[in-house]
Amino acid sequence: MAREELTRLTGSGSGNCNNDDCPNVYRTESGSFVVQGDISDAFRPPPGEGLVQIPEHILREAFRALGW
Protein backbone atom coordinates (compact mmCIF):
# COMPACT_ATOMS: atom_id res chain seq x y z
CA MET A 1 0.00 0.00 0.00
CA ALA A 2 1.40 3.38 -0.97
CA ARG A 3 1.14 6.49 1.23
CA GLU A 4 -0.87 8.15 -1.54
CA GLU A 5 -3.63 5.57 -0.97
CA LEU A 6 -4.09 6.68 2.66
CA THR A 7 -6.09 9.56 4.12
CA ARG A 8 -3.91 11.52 6.52
CA LEU A 9 -5.85 12.44 9.66
CA THR A 10 -3.12 14.33 11.53
CA GLY A 11 -0.16 16.58 10.88
CA SER A 12 -2.01 19.56 9.45
CA GLY A 13 1.21 21.57 9.58
CA SER A 14 0.61 23.12 12.99
CA GLY A 15 3.74 21.56 14.54
CA ASN A 16 7.44 21.38 13.90
CA CYS A 17 7.24 18.53 11.38
CA ASN A 18 9.09 18.50 8.11
CA ASN A 19 9.06 15.96 5.29
CA ASP A 20 6.39 13.76 6.93
CA ASP A 21 8.82 12.75 9.70
CA CYS A 22 6.44 13.24 12.66
CA PRO A 23 3.95 10.86 14.27
CA ASN A 24 0.77 10.62 12.20
CA VAL A 25 -2.42 8.60 11.90
CA TYR A 26 -3.74 7.56 8.49
CA ARG A 27 -6.98 5.86 7.46
CA THR A 28 -7.12 3.19 4.76
CA GLU A 29 -9.85 2.78 2.15
CA SER A 30 -11.12 -0.26 4.10
CA GLY A 31 -11.49 1.83 7.28
CA SER A 32 -8.49 0.50 9.21
CA PHE A 33 -5.69 2.74 10.50
CA VAL A 34 -1.97 3.05 9.90
CA VAL A 35 0.05 4.75 12.65
CA GLN A 36 3.48 6.34 12.14
CA GLY A 37 5.62 7.00 15.19
CA ASP A 38 8.86 6.40 17.01
CA ILE A 39 9.76 2.74 17.40
CA SER A 40 9.04 1.40 20.87
CA ASP A 41 10.79 -1.49 22.59
CA ALA A 42 8.21 -1.80 25.40
CA PHE A 43 7.86 -5.51 24.62
CA ARG A 44 8.45 -7.89 21.74
CA PRO A 45 5.36 -8.08 19.50
CA PRO A 46 4.44 -11.20 17.52
CA PRO A 47 6.13 -11.75 14.15
CA GLY A 48 4.77 -9.43 11.49
CA GLU A 49 3.71 -6.73 13.99
CA GLY A 50 5.48 -3.66 15.33
CA LEU A 51 5.12 -1.14 18.15
CA VAL A 52 5.24 2.63 17.77
CA GLN A 53 4.81 5.48 20.23
CA ILE A 54 2.74 8.52 19.35
CA PRO A 55 1.83 11.50 21.54
CA GLU A 56 -1.71 11.75 22.95
CA HIS A 57 -2.35 14.98 21.03
CA ILE A 58 -1.89 13.07 17.75
CA LEU A 59 -4.67 10.64 18.66
CA ARG A 60 -6.91 13.52 19.75
CA GLU A 61 -6.30 15.23 16.40
CA ALA A 62 -7.19 12.01 14.55
CA PHE A 63 -10.40 11.64 16.59
CA ARG A 64 -11.37 15.25 15.77
CA ALA A 65 -10.71 14.64 12.07
CA LEU A 66 -13.09 11.67 12.22
CA GLY A 67 -15.72 13.62 14.16
CA TRP A 68 -15.45 11.33 17.21
Side-chain angles (χ1 to χ4, degrees):
M1 174 180 321
R3 182 180 288 190
E4 295 77 25
E5 298 175 63
L6 304 172
T7 301
R8 188 172 176 170
L9 300 175
T10 58
S12 60
S14 59
N16 296 324
C17 300
N18 295 311
N19 301 319
D20 297 323
D21 63 350
C22 288
N24 282 297
V25 177
Y26 301 85
R27 190 167 194 179
T28 68
E29 287 184 4
S30 67
S32 64
F33 297 92
V34 174
V35 179
Q36 172 187 348
D38 294 329
I39 295 173
S40 172
D41 60 2
F43 64 90
R44 182 176 292 253
E49 295 184 6
L51 302 175
V52 298
Q53 292 182 175
I54 61 169
E56 180 180 327
H57 75 273
I58 298 294
L59 287 178
R60 290 182 183 276
E61 185 179 346
F63 295 155
R64 280 193 300 274
L66 293 168
W68 293 358

